[in-house]
Amino acid sequence: MKSNHTQKHPMARIATKAIGGMMTAIAILGFVGTKASTADTLDNIKERGKVVIGIQGDNPPFGFLDSTGKNDGYDADLSKLFAKHLGVDLELVIVTNQNRIAALQTGKVDALFATLGISAKRAESLQYSIPYAEDSMPVIAPIDVTVSDFKDLNDLTVGVPKGSTQENIVPKVADKTTMLSFDDDSATIQALLSGQVDAIGGNQFAMGRIEERAPGKFEQKLILATNYKGVGTILEDAKINATVNSFLEGLKKDGTMETLYQKWFGLEQPKFEAPVEGVSFTVN
């Protein structure tokens, strides 16, 4: 009598086992991949033994390259102290105003110590730490150019760095002005010195840099705004945010931040008391 059970050929059994093994391996890899992708930033840093921090390379005294090509400045010093705080090595990656948030979101850096002005709009894309620096943004123009009110900017061509807070503010305070955006702070200053623009929206150190190159020819006219700088980390990553905040609080309490402020800015450390509307410095 013939059996209704069909006997599989030996090669068919081998193929079935092989396919089953492959599926198991894929499942395991998928699980590992998922685990790796959902691991938080702090775990990744500790696992690799290195923190990768985005920093600017052309914005003294915050972040710049010294005469030997090494990163230096206030943000560089903070980055070194943060790596020491974590007990890991440090890798600094130069970012610009326009690519720094993308560098964070795509995992090229773990955090941004990159003069990141704190704003509600940016807070939709990243998590801010508590403030660690304060920056005023002046309008700078030649001495013989009249800028006594923001409406005077409507008759001028104003240069700003791409991706900067100034780029957002200038059209709001002078909606008829011609605004040109440049790659970074250095290019914006050069545009003013060369006459490509009539005025610029700079940071609080731009006037000093301009005075070194063209003494007595330019002056600060108005203040566009004063804002805080914060460390940027990935949205909803509570552990790295809490770690950065604890680190910065420690520097404020033990006097280290005051020392760095005097070293790089010649100023007393700000009190950082004013809130920023629409921004939380901790993960909710």
Side-chain angles (χ1 to χ4, degrees), residues 127-195:
Q127 175 62 49
Y128 280 111
S129 71
I130 59 174
Y132 74 90
E134 185 179 273
D135 187 16
S136 62
M137 290 165 283
V139 174
I140 300 172
I143 289 177
D144 60 358
V145 173
T146 300
V147 184
S148 57
D149 190 274
F150 288 133
K151 65 182 180 182
D152 292 330
L153 297 177
N154 286 321
D155 300 322
L156 305 177
T157 299
V158 181
V160 296
K162 287 180 182 177
S164 66
T165 302
Q166 297 94 304
E167 191 177 41
N168 293 325
I169 293 176
V170 168
K172 293 178 181 178
V173 299
D175 59 354
K176 294 181 177 61
T177 191
T178 300
M179 187 176 73
L180 299 180
S181 298
F182 298 90
D183 285 342
D184 50 39
D185 292 278
S186 295
T188 305
I189 289 172
Q190 181 57 40
L192 178 65
L193 294 172
S194 66

Side-chain angles (χ1 to χ4, degrees), residues 12-26:
R13 290 197 299 271
I14 293 173
T16 300
K17 289 181 179 180
I19 292 171
M22 288 172 63
M23 294 303 293
T24 301
I26 290 170

Side-chain angles (χ1 to χ4, degrees), residues 116-131:
L116 196 65
I118 297 176
S119 72
K121 183 177 180 180
R122 284 189 184 141
E124 297 174 0
S125 303
L126 54 80
Q127 175 62 49
Y128 280 111
S129 71
I130 59 174

Side-chain angles (χ1 to χ4, degrees), residues 59-70:
N59 191 10
F62 282 102
F64 62 97
L65 299 179
D66 65 16
S67 58
T68 67
K70 292 183 179 179

